[in-house]
């Protein structure tokens, strides 16, 4: 296996690569690095999907949605950075190459032939809900493993993604 591929496999398996004085138990580090890498991969994919929507959205709500999507991907970029840096803090390797992300993402490919504003809102809503769910599942997994700090980071991020999901879904709920 080429060197890059083995680092990617290690990251996916949550194996720490570097010794650190950080006293989080080894098993907790392994669980957290695996959860964080999966959430990092999904978050970067969601960032890219949101940029796709920002660039290509059309229709009467263009201005509002174009700006809203920019606000969201800016938040996701900061969130991805925090997830990646927690991986490295625990002695792991944060993997963010395009190739690894394409292989690892759990999101459906974002359509490249979508223009309608509400169409983008719906397509993004499904993906924001999926990422919020995965982050929330990670809270329990990392807390149970003994890493309350990573659980706290995932709590913060799931709450932020929930809020963006609310803002998306508010466009769709007027007639409910
Ligand atoms: Fe822009």
């Amino acid at each position: 296996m080429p060197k890059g591929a083995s680092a990617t496999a290690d990251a996916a398996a949550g194996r720490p690569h570097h010794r650190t004085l950080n006293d989080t138990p080894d098993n907790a580090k392994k669980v957290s690095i695996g959860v964080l890498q999966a959430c990092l991969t999904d978050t970067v994919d969601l960032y890219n999907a949101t940029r796709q929507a920002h660039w290509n959205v059309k229709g009467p709500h263009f201005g509002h949605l174009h700006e809203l999507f920019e606000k969201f991907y800016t938040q996701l970029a900061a969130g991805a950075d925090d997830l990646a840096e927690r991986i490295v803090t625990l002695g792991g390797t944060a993997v963010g190459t395009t190739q690894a992300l394409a292989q690892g993402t759990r999101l459906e490919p974002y359509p490249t032939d979508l223009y309608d504003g509400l169409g983008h809102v719906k397509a993004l809503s499904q993906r924001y809900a999926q990422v919020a769910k995965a982050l929330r599942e990670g809270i329990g997994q990392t807390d149970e493993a003994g890493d309350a700090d990573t659980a706290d980071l995932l709590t913060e991020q799931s709450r932020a993604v929930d809020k963006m999901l609310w803002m998306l879904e508010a466009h769709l709920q007027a007639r409910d």
Side-chain angles (χ1 to χ4, degrees):
M1 203 187 294
K3 207 173 169 213
S6 98
T8 304
D10 274 2
R15 279 188 279 273
H17 296 126
H18 302 283
R19 253 177 248 170
T20 161
L21 296 175
N22 181 307
D23 73 338
T24 304
D26 278 353
N27 182 59
K29 281 186 180 134
K30 184 172 179 289
V31 169
S32 288
I33 290 168
V35 168
L36 287 160
Q37 180 62 52
C39 289
L40 170 64
T41 301
D42 292 348
T43 299
V44 177
D45 192 13
L46 189 61
Y47 165 91
N48 284 330
T50 309
R51 292 213 79 165
Q52 176 74 26
H54 167 76
W55 289 325
N56 292 290
V57 66
K58 299 192 191 298
H61 305 297
F62 165 79
H64 158 70
L65 291 175
H66 179 70
E67 279 178 26
L68 187 71
F69 297 158
E70 179 171 358
K71 224 187 273 176
F72 285 5
Y73 74 65
T74 304
Q75 273 194 56
L76 291 172
D81 199 51
D82 287 342
L83 293 170
E85 290 177 359
R86 180 72 190 158
I87 292 173
V88 181
T89 297
L90 294 172
T93 298
V95 177
T97 62
T98 302
Q99 294 74 15
L101 294 170
Q103 245 187 358
T105 184
R106 294 171 290 188
L107 306 187
E108 284 290 306
Y110 198 76
T112 53
D113 57 352
L114 183 57
Y115 305 98
D116 172 62
L118 285 186
H120 277 295
V121 168
K122 277 183 201 152
L124 289 175
S125 291
Q126 288 161 357
R127 289 164 177 82
Y128 277 73
Q130 188 181 336
V131 171
K133 181 172 186 274
L135 288 162
R136 215 175 334 277
E137 285 167 358
I139 298 169
Q141 291 162 352
T142 55
D143 194 40
E144 213 171 288
D147 182 1
D149 298 292
T150 293
D152 180 62
L153 174 64
L154 296 171
T155 303
E156 181 191 335
Q157 297 221 358
S158 61
R159 189 168 54 237
V161 177
D162 277 349
K163 187 167 180 180
M164 291 186 267
L165 175 61
W166 157 55
M167 290 183 180
L168 289 169
E169 285 194 300
H171 294 82
L172 310 170
Q173 290 168 332
R175 288 187 189 83
D176 281 1

